[in-house]
Amino acid sequence: MAGSKPLSIEIDAMSCASCVARVEKALSAVDGVEEAVVNLAGESATVSGTADEQAIVDALEIAGYPARKHTMTLSVRDMSCASCVRRVEMALRAVPGVLDVAVNLATDTATVTVLTGAVSATELARASGALGYPATANVLEERDHGSRKAEEMSRLRGQVTLAAVLTLPVFIMEMGGHLVPAFHHWLAATIGLQTSWIIQFVLASIVMSWPGQAFYSRGIPALFKGTPDMNSLVALGSLAAWGYSVVATFLPQLLPADNLAVYFEAAAVIVTLILLGRYLEARAKGRTGDAIKGLLDLQPKTARVERNGVHTELPIEQIMIGDIVHVRPGEKIATDGMVVHGASYVDESMVTGEPTPIRKEAGASVVGGTINGQGALSFRASQVGDDTMLAQIVRLVAQAQSARLPIQDLVNRITAWFVPVVLLLATLTVITWLLLGPVPALTHALVAGVSVLIIACPCAMGLATPTSIMVGTGRAAELGVLFRQGSALQGLQETRVVAIDKTGTLTQGRPALIDIAVAAGVNEERLLGMIAAVEDQSEHPVARAIVRAAAERGLALPAVDAFSSITGLGVQAQVDGQSVLVGADRLLIGEHIDLGELASVGRRYASAGRTPIFVAIDGTVAAVLGIADPIKPGTPAAVSALHALGLKVAMITGDNRATADVIADELGIDHVVAEVLPDGKVTALRTLVSGQRKIAFVGDGINDAPALAAADVGIAIGTGTDIAIESADVVLMSGDLRGVVNAFYLSRQTMRNIRQNLFWAFGYNILLIPVAAGLFYPINGLMLSPMLAAGAMALSSVFVLSNALRLRWAQPALLENRAAVENSVDPLPGSQQAASITLNDTHPQETSP
């Protein structure tokens, strides 16, 4: 296993938080494993380090939680000898997650056994192709997550149905007599109580040994290994009720006369209700992954590909980089590429969250999974398979969903001891009732002990955090917010200051030349041509604005020599034998150049919110230019909404102080750090942090990467550079700053949901275990039936999952033309509510930002 890439594994037989703790312990004990994070809701584990895959599989097998495996077959071309076979086998074995490879030269195929969830067929095909043996992925035996879940649902539904059919007569025969005395007398007079008990014994035994078999095949061995889990609790509780009833039925002389009773109905109902709970839980857990399934469903199955002038309908797996793909009106775009012919509007809302279709014409990029409008397009494929934006989004979402938040560490420490403590409490309960309980003490002790075992629910504790993370990050992705690190969910919720880079984040990042003032005797047209010639050597947004202005005037650009960039200050070069210096006022001042009367012009530009750029020719100031970068339309609402959430907003910019202050005043920004050099943003962040306050940084450029990494939470605008995105914890798919508000809002929604789940999971056990033990019996004679305990336990997990699923309907915090910050998300103490913000109710209308 490569140490640089975490390995994702799907795991069987996990049923509760105790299972999670044991799987993590087993994985962490494998040599080479640096970190193991287990997700109960996703039934998976993410392992980092250099451990051998087979060693990981063996450790899980020994622990009783086997890793899922499946087989894939590749069609491999261009193999001609045994050496080719060996090279292909070695290449495929080197892919993380591969367990076994068998290459057949006669059939030109490779059969690969892999860990489910660890490697895709496309990755295997790429590994073979890199050696010169092109491969096509034909997944023969691979079962996708959805089909596996469907099979599990079908199996559980059958088990629940069978258990219910068999349990109903047992329940009626035993409880019917308690509820309706006449029925009891009729039953005794017809078949007799002994016969009734024998029938109950047969039916209950079938329920336990057939549909309920998994509880015992997993729970009893775990008990003997000293690693009891929830299955162990169910097995012990139901077997205690069943065993006592067997003795009462067939060896009644061993029990006191006043303790002669059967509890077959309790054993059968316990198994049936917990199976029902697991069925409902499986249904809910299946829906937690709907976001990823929805993203995968965006991709079409086939595409019309042009090769050598021939149009062919091909599966998208066979599209290659460079292929020309034709898209009809209304069709989905198959993969990422560049438009070569045609024009149309494309709906990219499913990827970016932006509702407005974007015009695409020759030279524009398109994203796979988006929907073409009324026009026809032809594009050249630039990314295929796992390299497309959609595939990257799916990976990011899956990565975030498997994350473990800091809050989960406390839960894991508690749940590691939960089942042993419950066993101890059940034992103490039985002993206490036997010693102090009223007649019949043995019956009371049995009922109380079984109820304690059955009602305890570590499942809810294990599901509380991961289910909310899965649903919350999935819903965020649907709204254009990608959490690259799941821990950013908690980090954003704890953030108090948001620092935002100005250019390209607060502003459009497309400056324009608004004003130019030249010194006496200077020809404006010639000077602007010289400036544009120098700036044409730079990629800075301000430089591009000057070049565009010269082009609009039709100016010719002279030749440039000795160009050099002065980081964060400006540029210099030789033009027509003259030295040209272009940059901020402090650049010229540093060169001891007097700004003269143009200094006041520069101040006037700055007071109007424009960036003054000074120009010197041969050491004498020649002009000052006023550059304006329009503020993005959504920025004012976003800043106001951040204030409404109780956050302080800071702006970091390389502009001079006067310009920065004007923009800050216009937007209502709290703190300004101006005249910052590109490498000074990390230092600027430190100046904004006081005490233990956490800070988030929002940026988009290459020079933002260090600050994104240094901040407690880095948020990258998705229209920014790849380097910025790789350094960030959160990525906004659109360039709209309102996405930052949505990220904070969804973070708070998710963390609140997690706290609700944890409160329920722990509160349920803290309150009901004493009730099950008979705490209230001396007060009001209340004894909790094991059947009610089973029902409560089954419903506790369903409650946690259902509560987490509410996040599927979380709405964006900012709706069109107004903010909709949920009024139940309270601002931080001492914060001021922005007057321009409309606080919406908890169920705002479904409107995209």
Side-chain angles (χ1 to χ4, degrees):
M1 184 177 86
S4 59
K5 180 182 177 182
L7 186 70
S8 296
I9 310 169
E10 293 187 11
I11 300 175
D12 271 327
M14 292 195 300
S15 59
C16 65
S18 298
C19 301
V20 170
R22 275 189 284 278
V23 171
E24 286 190 351
K25 183 178 179 180
L27 290 173
S28 299
V30 177
D31 288 339
V33 170
E34 297 172 2
E35 183 184 30
V37 178
V38 180
N39 186 317
L40 177 60
E43 299 174 358
S44 64
T46 302
V47 184
S48 302
T50 57
D52 178 66
E53 283 91 344
Q54 192 58 53
I56 291 173
V57 171
D58 292 343
L60 290 170
E61 197 74 38
I62 292 170
Y65 303 95
R68 293 180 185 137
K69 294 173 279 188
H70 67 268
T71 301
M72 293 188 284
T73 299
L74 304 178
S75 296
V76 186
R77 301 198 305 273
D78 298 345
M79 292 192 299
S80 58
C81 63
S83 296
C84 300
V85 170
R86 183 173 177 275
R87 280 193 288 271
V88 172
E89 282 191 353
M90 290 179 64
L92 293 175
R93 287 185 190 277
V95 178
V98 171
L99 298 175
D100 189 43
V101 179
V103 178
N104 189 319
L105 181 61
T107 59
D108 289 331
T109 60
T111 304
V112 189
T113 303
V114 301
L115 289 168
T116 303
V119 59
S120 69
T122 306
E123 289 178 274
L124 296 175
R126 187 187 297 124
S128 176
L131 285 183
Y133 303 97
T136 304
N138 297 320
V139 185
L140 297 183
E141 299 177 29
E142 182 178 15
R143 297 180 304 162
D144 64 24
H145 186 74
S147 65
R148 182 177 57 78
K149 282 292 181 186
E151 288 178 18
E152 181 184 357
M153 291 281 295
S154 177
R155 176 179 57 81
L156 282 171
R157 189 186 305 114
Q159 290 177 341
V160 170
T161 303
L162 177 61
V165 168
L166 295 172
T167 298
L168 187 60
V170 179
F171 182 82
I172 292 173
M173 280 191 287
E174 186 59 32
M175 297 306 295
H178 292 291
L179 298 174
V180 183
F183 178 77
H184 172 77
H185 298 311
W186 175 82
L187 200 64
T190 52
I191 64 173
L193 290 181
Q194 182 67 16
T195 304
S196 170
W197 289 1
I198 292 173
I199 294 172
Q200 292 179 47
F201 160 74
V202 172
L203 294 176
S205 298
I206 295 173
V207 169
M208 297 168 68
S209 60
W210 191 353
Q213 179 265 340
F215 295 125
Y216 310 100
S217 62
R218 295 174 182 174
I220 300 302
L223 195 61
F224 282 114
K225 288 179 182 178
T227 57
D229 59 7
M230 195 211 75
N231 292 309
S232 303
L233 298 180
V234 175
L236 279 178
S238 57
L239 281 175
W242 179 84
Y244 181 90
S245 303
V246 168
V247 172
T249 302
F250 299 105
L251 299 168
Q253 64 274 16
L254 297 181
L255 297 175
D258 55 5
N259 286 303
L260 204 59
V262 294
Y263 294 95
F264 289 120
E265 89 288 350
V269 170
I270 285 169
V271 170
T272 302
L273 285 179
I274 294 176
L275 281 174
L276 175 62
R278 288 201 171 175
Y279 169 68
L280 296 174
E281 182 181 314
R283 284 187 60 187
K285 283 165 70 176
R287 290 199 292 269
T288 61
D290 279 355
I292 287 183
K293 183 178 182 296
L295 288 170
L296 292 173
D297 288 344
L298 292 176
Q299 200 168 41
K301 305 300 181 187
T302 61
R304 294 174 66 242
V305 179
E306 179 183 343
R307 290 179 182 168
N308 300 321
V310 178
H311 293 214
T312 310
E313 193 86 12
L314 292 177
I316 63 166
E317 292 83 6
Q318 296 181 19
I319 297 176
M320 301 175 67
I321 293 175
D323 280 344
I324 300 298
V325 182
H326 296 273
V327 188
R328 300 184 183 97
E331 287 185 338
K332 288 182 178 179
I333 292 172
T335 190
D336 297 356
M338 189 76 69
V339 176
V340 295
H341 181 71
S344 183
Y345 283 88
V346 175
D347 180 4
E348 297 183 341
S349 60
M350 60 290 297
V351 175
T352 66
E354 289 293 327
T356 307
I358 307 298
R359 180 172 173 79
K360 303 291 182 179
E361 53 192 14
S365 60
V366 290
V367 177
T370 56
I371 300 175
N372 184 29
Q374 298 302 310
L377 291 174
S378 299
F379 69 91
R380 178 174 285 105
S382 59
Q383 302 290 341
V384 297
D386 289 344
D387 295 327
T388 64
M389 180 180 289
L390 185 60
Q392 293 177 50
I393 291 173
V394 170
R395 280 199 300 274
L396 286 176
V397 174
Q399 178 182 321
Q401 289 184 341
S402 65
R404 181 173 65 197
L405 303 191
I407 195 173
Q408 185 68 23
D409 293 333
L410 173 63
V411 177
N412 288 351
R413 286 196 295 272
I414 294 173
T415 53
W417 293 96
F418 181 80
V419 174
V421 168
V422 169
L423 290 173
L424 178 61
L425 289 174
T427 303
L428 291 175
T429 298
V430 170
I431 293 171
T432 302
W433 276 100
L434 288 175
L435 295 176
L436 305 176
V439 175
L442 182 58
T443 300
H444 285 111
L446 176 69
V447 170
V450 170
S451 294
V452 169
L453 289 172
I454 298 302
I455 205 165
C457 186
C459 300
M461 291 189 234
L463 292 169
T465 301
T467 50
S468 295
I469 293 174
M470 289 183 71
V471 182
T473 53
R475 178 56 178 155
E478 292 172 351
L479 297 176
V481 178
L482 297 180
F483 285 88
R484 293 189 70 250
Q485 303 295 332
S487 56
L489 277 169
Q490 187 166 342
L492 281 181
Q493 195 256 345
E494 296 169 351
T495 294
R496 299 293 178 265
V497 179
V498 184
I500 306 173
D501 178 61
K502 181 183 79 72
T503 304
T505 308
L506 288 170
T507 63
Q508 293 181 3
R510 187 179 170 85
L513 176 62
I514 305 300
D515 294 298
I516 180 170
V518 298
V522 175
N523 183 287
E524 180 178 317
E525 297 283 308
R526 179 175 180 275
L527 178 65
L528 183 57
M530 294 174 68
I531 300 169
V534 175
E535 294 289 13
D536 195 37
Q537 312 300 310
S538 171
E539 290 299 321
H540 193 281
V542 170
R544 307 322 302 165
I546 295 171
V547 172
R548 282 195 303 272
E552 289 169 2
R553 296 192 187 190
L555 302 179
L557 305 186
V560 175
D561 295 315
F563 173 87
S564 64
S565 174
I566 306 166
T567 304
L569 295 174
V571 294
Q572 62 181 1
Q574 293 288 324
V575 180
D576 291 340
Q578 292 182 291
S579 173
V580 180
L581 188 65
V582 185
D585 54 358
R586 54 188 184 279
L587 172 62
L588 273 66
I589 293 171
E591 295 293 325
H592 307 291
I593 298 174
D594 182 17
L595 302 182
E597 295 180 355
L598 292 179
S600 61
V601 178
R603 287 193 293 272
R604 189 171 71 249
Y605 287 170
S607 65
R610 296 165 191 164
T611 301
I613 301 295
F614 288 85
V615 183
I617 303 294
D618 291 334
T620 302
V621 66
V624 58
L625 290 74
I627 307 291
D629 188 2
I631 292 172
K632 291 180 179 178
T635 296
V639 172
S640 296
L642 290 172
H643 283 143
L645 289 173
L647 298 164
K648 295 293 184 182
V649 181
M651 180 177 72
I652 298 178
T653 178
D655 275 347
N656 65 56
R657 167 62 63 175
T659 303
D661 284 343
V662 170
I663 295 173
D665 289 342
E666 180 181 346
L667 294 175
I669 288 173
D670 304 295
H671 304 284
V672 177
V673 184
E675 301 180 7
V676 176
L677 297 178
D679 58 358
K681 291 181 180 179
V682 173
T683 304
L685 286 179
R686 294 195 186 106
T687 66
L688 293 169
V689 178
S690 61
Q692 299 299 312
R693 291 194 307 179
K694 288 196 172 184
I695 189 168
F697 177 75
V698 187
D700 71 334
I702 291 175
N703 54 29
D704 290 331
L708 287 166
D712 294 297
V713 180
I715 304 174
I717 299 293
T719 52
T721 64
D722 291 340
I723 293 176
I725 289 172
E726 283 297 316
S727 303
D729 303 301
V730 182
V731 178
L732 309 179
M733 293 305 296
S734 72
D736 197 322
L737 198 63
R738 286 175 289 191
V740 176
V741 183
N742 290 334
F744 274 97
Y745 177 77
L746 288 165
S747 163
R748 294 189 179 191
Q749 288 281 81
T750 304
M751 291 305 300
R752 183 174 63 179
N753 193 272
I754 288 172
R755 285 192 293 269
Q756 290 169 347
N757 283 347
L758 289 174
F759 178 80
W760 167 262
F762 283 98
Y764 161 88
N765 285 288
I766 291 170
L767 292 176
L768 291 189
I769 287 178
V771 174
L775 180 66
F776 294 109
Y777 184 82
I779 301 171
N780 55 16
L782 174 64
M783 284 289 289
L784 189 65
S785 163
M787 292 183 290
L788 291 177
M793 193 272 259
L795 290 174
S796 64
S797 296
V798 176
F799 175 88
V800 165
L801 285 159
S802 300
N803 187 52
L805 287 171
R806 291 192 309 114
L807 290 170
R808 294 172 67 195
W809 294 279
Q811 298 302 312
L814 280 182
L815 306 182
E816 189 174 353
N817 298 325
R818 67 188 180 101
V821 182
E822 187 177 44
N823 57 10
S824 56
V825 180
D826 297 325
L828 299 170
S831 65
Q832 293 183 347
Q833 298 289 336
S836 60
I837 294 300
T838 303
L839 297 180
N840 208 351
D841 58 26
T842 51
H843 300 286
Q845 295 178 355
E846 188 169 349
T847 310
S848 299

